[in-house]
Amino acid sequence: HIFALETGLSSNPEMNWRLSSLDKFALVSNSDSHSPWSWRLGREANVFELEKVTYWEIIDAIKKKDKKRFSFTIEVDPNYGKYHFDGHRKCGISLHPRDAIRLNNICPKCGKKLTIGVLHRVEELADRPEGFVPKDAIPFKTLLPLYEVISFAWGIGELYSQRVLKEHDKLIAKFGNELNILLNVPREELLKVTDEKVADAIIKVREGRVKYIPGYDGVYGKPVFDDEKFEELKAQTKIKLHFQKKLTEF
C-alpha cells in the first residue's frame, strides 16, 4: 500500500538513488509548517502537469512514476541541513564521512565520539556509487527560499531582516510569485528590480552552481555565493583536515 517515500530536508533523490531497495518507490518532496518563518513554506515541493487536478490523478501519477504528469520535485540542498556531515560542534570539527571513518569516528580535538551525519548513514547503506540514476527516476531541482537567497547574497545570513524582507516582497510584487522568480525570470529582468548580487545569486541557485559549507552536529550549513569567499573557507578546511590526518598518523 506504500508507493512513495519523502526525501525530507536531510536528503535528496540523488542520495536515495544509491540504495537499490528504494527503486520501487516514487520519491516525493513536501514542505511543512514546522518553521516560524513563512518564506520556508514551499521550499520543497512536487511539480505536476495535469489536465485535471484531482486527488486520484495526483496519486496515479506518483504511483506510476509518470514523468509526463509528475514533472520533478523541488529540493533544498542537504548540505544546508544541520546534520549532513559528521562533526563535533563544541570543538568546531566538521568532517566528510570518509575523514570521520579514518579517525574511527572520534573527534581529533577532544577524543569524544563525533555526531554522525546523514551522509555517513547513506555511505553505510548504499549499494551503488555516487551519481547513479535509476532509469525511471523522477528528476529534481535544487532551490533555496528567495528570502534566504537574498540574505546570503548580501552577507546578512539572518532569518529575519526588514531590509531583506522588503527586497523579497518587492520582487514578488513584480514577478507574481517566488517560484517564478527562482525558476524562470531572466537575469536582465531581475536587474531591473534588484541589484547584481541578488540577481546573480538567483541564477546560481537556478543553475545548481551554489557552493555550500555543509552543516554538522546541529549547525546549519551555509550557501556561499562569492567564489573567492568559498575558496578561503575551503582552504581553511583543507588545513584543518590535514592537521587531523597528521594526528592519526602520530
Side-chain angles (χ1 to χ4, degrees):
H1 299 289
I2 297 172
F3 303 101
L5 301 175
E6 185 182 34
T7 56
L9 287 168
S10 298
S11 78
N12 63 8
E14 200 168 38
M15 293 164 72
N16 289 269
W17 292 338
R18 295 188 62 193
L19 186 57
S20 60
S21 61
L22 301 183
D23 286 355
K24 61 183 178 179
F25 302 103
L27 298 176
V28 297
S29 185
N30 304 312
S31 183
D32 57 37
S33 56
H34 291 182
S35 171
W37 312 110
S38 59
W39 50 81
R40 283 188 159 173
L41 288 169
R43 60 182 168 170
E44 301 222 330
N46 307 290
V47 179
F48 297 92
E49 290 284 347
L50 304 171
E51 289 184 13
K52 190 176 181 183
V53 181
T54 69
Y55 171 84
W56 294 111
E57 273 291 302
I58 292 171
I59 292 300
D60 193 58
I62 293 172
K63 185 176 176 180
K64 293 177 179 175
K65 291 200 261 187
D66 183 351
K67 294 181 184 179
K68 290 182 179 178
R69 291 180 293 165
F70 188 0
S71 302
F72 59 91
T73 62
I74 293 172
E75 313 274 341
V76 172
D77 195 301
N79 283 286
Y80 197 21
K82 295 193 287 185
Y83 294 96
H84 190 62
F85 267 21
D86 302 338
H88 194 193
R89 177 171 40 177
K90 272 190 175 180
C91 297
I93 298 294
S94 171
L95 298 165
H96 188 281
R98 287 191 292 267
D99 295 302
I101 289 166
R102 290 191 194 106
L103 296 169
N104 296 316
N105 301 325
I106 298 298
C107 176
K109 192 169 181 181
C110 71
K112 294 182 179 179
K113 286 185 178 180
L114 295 166
T115 299
I116 300 304
V118 179
L119 191 59
H120 193 122
R121 185 62 176 150
V122 173
E123 292 291 343
E124 289 178 342
L125 295 172
D127 55 3
R128 289 169 171 161
E130 288 183 18
F132 182 90
V133 182
K135 62 180 180 180
D136 61 347
I138 299 296
F140 72 97
K141 296 185 180 183
T142 303
L143 299 179
L144 280 170
L146 178 61
Y147 175 95
E148 291 171 55
V149 174
I150 298 166
S151 184
F152 282 106
W154 281 351
I156 295 172
E158 294 176 359
L159 287 174
Y160 182 76
S161 160
Q162 285 192 346
R163 180 185 168 211
V164 172
L165 194 57
K166 185 177 179 182
E167 191 74 8
H168 169 274
D169 292 348
K170 182 176 72 173
L171 280 159
I172 289 175
K174 174 65 177 177
F175 298 114
N177 65 72
E178 180 174 354
L179 289 177
N180 183 45
I181 295 164
L182 294 173
L183 291 169
N184 304 317
V185 179
R187 182 177 183 272
E188 55 270 23
E189 292 300 312
L190 292 169
L191 286 171
K192 293 176 183 177
V193 182
T194 191
D195 63 38
E196 194 170 15
K197 279 188 176 180
V198 171
D200 286 345
I202 290 169
I203 299 303
K204 280 187 175 183
V205 168
R206 184 183 302 169
E207 295 178 352
R209 295 188 290 113
V210 182
K211 296 174 181 177
Y212 286 84
I213 303 301
Y216 69 98
D217 194 16
V219 178
Y220 277 108
K222 291 183 180 178
V224 182
F225 295 106
D226 185 316
D227 290 343
E228 287 185 16
K229 181 67 175 174
F230 181 80
E231 289 303 320
E232 284 177 25
L233 293 168
K234 192 170 73 169
Q236 290 169 15
T237 303
K238 280 183 179 178
I239 291 167
K240 185 170 68 177
L241 288 177
H242 178 71
F243 179 62
Q244 288 162 356
K245 288 175 185 177
K246 286 293 183 183
L247 275 178
T248 61
E249 289 166 9
F250 178 80

